[in-house]
Amino acid sequence: MSDIYLGGELLAEVERNGFVESRHSGSVVVLDAGGEVTAWAGDVLGPVFPRSSNKPMQAVGMLAAGLTATPAELAIISASHRGQPAHVASVRGVLADLPASALGCPPDYPLSDDARDAVVRAGGERSPLYMNCSGKHAGMLRTCAANGWPLAGYLDPAHPVQVAIRTGVESLAGEPAAAVGVDGCGAPLLAVSLRGLAAAFLRLVSAPSGSHPRLVADAMRAHPDLVSGTDTDGHDTQLMRAFPTLLSKIGAEGVMAAAVPGVGAVALKIDDGAARPRLPVLSAGFARLGFSLGDFSDMPVMGGGVRVGSVRTVW
C-alpha cells in the first residue's frame, strides 16, 4: 500500500446521439473468490476515502464491541438510507430509549424526493433522523450505551466506539488505515486502498455463518430496501434485489464496492466523484469474473424524455 492515491485511467464515456460528450477516469480492482487480484486499472494500492462503502465494516466493528441488533437494525446501521418512512422508523428502533437529540449527524431533509416533499408539505423541518447516515450514528450510540460509554463525544476518533470501529475496518481490509478524515455526516472516515476495500467485502460475504461479518452481509441482503431505498437512485437496493447473494454498498465521490460469494469482489473509485459511471464499471469488473449484472451495465442518457445514448464502460 502506498501513501497517496495517484489517480486512475479512462474507465467510462458518456455517449449522446453517437457523440462522446464526457469521459470519466478512475481506478478499479477485481478479486477472484480466493482474494487474488485478477484485473485492475489505475491505482488500486493508494488510499482513498471509501465514504459510505465503509459502513458494513463499521457495523462489524460495532458488533465486535458488544452491539446487539436484529437483522433489520443491522441493515439500517449499514445503510445510506433515503429518509423514507420505513427508514426513519428503523432508525428510531435502533435508538430505542436513546434520545434522537444525541445523534451527531447534521439535520437534513430526506434524500428521496417523495419523502422530502411529504415532510415539507406537512410543515416539517430538517432533522438528523432524515440524514442518510443516521442509522450508522444510531448504531454507534447504541454500542456506547451497551458498554456504558459516554454518548457525548462519540464522534471523536479517540472515543472507545471509534477505536472499536477502526479495529473492525482495518481487520476486514487487511491493512491499517492510511488517514483519518471527517465524513459528511461528521463521523471519523478511514482511508484504505481499493484492494483493501474489495478484500473487506469479500470477507463479509465469505465469513462463516453467524460470524460478525456474515451477520452484517446477511442483514443487508435480507433487507435491501433499508440499505438505499426504493426510489430510482437506490442502486444498492436494486442490485441486491436482482442478485440476492450479492452485497453492494455505494459511497460518495464515485466509490462503490460489491462482492458475491464464490465469485469475487469489485471495488472502484471514479476520480471526479461522479456517480453515473459506477454501475457500468462495476459490471465490467464482474464480467471479468464471469458474472453478468445484466441491465446494470447500461445506464441511459436521456434527451427530451427519450433515450438518446448511454454511459458505457471503455475498460
Side-chain angles (χ1 to χ4, degrees), residues 173-270:
E175 62 188 43
V180 182
V182 179
D183 212 336
C185 65
L189 175 60
L190 304 176
V192 297
S193 70
L194 288 175
R195 185 171 190 248
L197 181 61
F201 271 67
L202 189 59
R203 291 184 176 109
L204 285 163
V205 300
S206 304
S209 180
S211 65
H212 291 153
R214 185 65 176 277
L215 287 173
V216 171
D218 288 350
M220 293 173 67
R221 292 179 292 187
H223 299 277
D225 292 5
L226 295 177
V227 176
S228 67
T230 57
D231 51 4
T232 56
D233 290 327
H235 292 154
D236 290 323
T237 295
Q238 295 163 20
L239 276 168
M240 290 189 286
R241 278 179 171 178
F243 305 98
T245 63
L246 182 147
L247 177 69
S248 170
K249 188 68 197 72
I250 60 171
E253 296 300 321
V255 177
M256 191 169 195
V260 178
V263 174
V266 179
L268 62 97
K269 160 75 177 173
I270 306 301

